[in-house]
Amino acid sequence: MDLYSLIKQNFISGEWKNISLRKINSLLEAKRPFEQKAVLKILNTLENDGEIVFLDGLYIATEFADIIKGVLRGNEKGFAFLMPEKGDGDYFIPN
């Protein structure tokens, strides 16, 4: 299994919840700067793809985080609505 798949699997399985970059590097035995840079690049990719989020200095899979994933639709008056990917309805976001 490649490093990307290993990291992703640990998050998706719930093995890694609320975990710091330091702890991830320790578990992967990434001690050299180039190894740590590779781990950070994978975490950034997973974050950009919506697989994980970085909250309060910790990483967690989006499915285990207390967040709502969706599309934000704003207007010129300054307020917006969040349309969730899952479920019905929307959420009003005041300005």
Side-chain angles (χ1 to χ4, degrees):
M1 181 179 294
D2 66 352
L3 186 58
Y4 176 87
S5 299
L6 176 67
I7 291 173
K8 184 176 178 178
Q9 182 58 35
N10 278 305
F11 280 110
I12 291 173
S13 70
E15 183 76 23
W16 290 354
K17 288 183 185 176
N18 298 317
I19 189 168
S20 69
L21 177 58
R22 182 178 295 222
K23 181 68 174 176
I24 292 169
N25 282 328
S26 175
L27 291 170
L28 296 173
E29 299 179 4
K31 296 177 178 133
R32 297 181 179 158
F34 76 92
E35 294 169 331
Q36 293 174 354
K37 188 175 180 180
V39 170
L40 185 57
K41 185 176 180 181
I42 291 169
L43 292 172
N44 287 338
T45 299
L46 289 170
E47 190 174 7
N48 290 336
D49 291 345
E51 298 288 339
I52 64 172
V53 291
F54 184 70
L55 300 170
D56 299 324
L58 302 172
Y59 291 94
I60 187 169
T62 52
E63 63 188 272
F64 299 114
D66 189 21
I67 59 172
I68 300 169
K69 190 174 178 182
V71 176
L72 189 63
R73 299 198 184 203
N75 68 28
E76 65 279 348
K77 294 180 182 176
F79 62 86
F81 291 91
L82 175 64
M83 312 324 191
E85 285 182 0
K86 298 178 183 174
D88 293 335
D90 53 17
Y91 297 89
F92 176 70
I93 312 290
N95 58 350

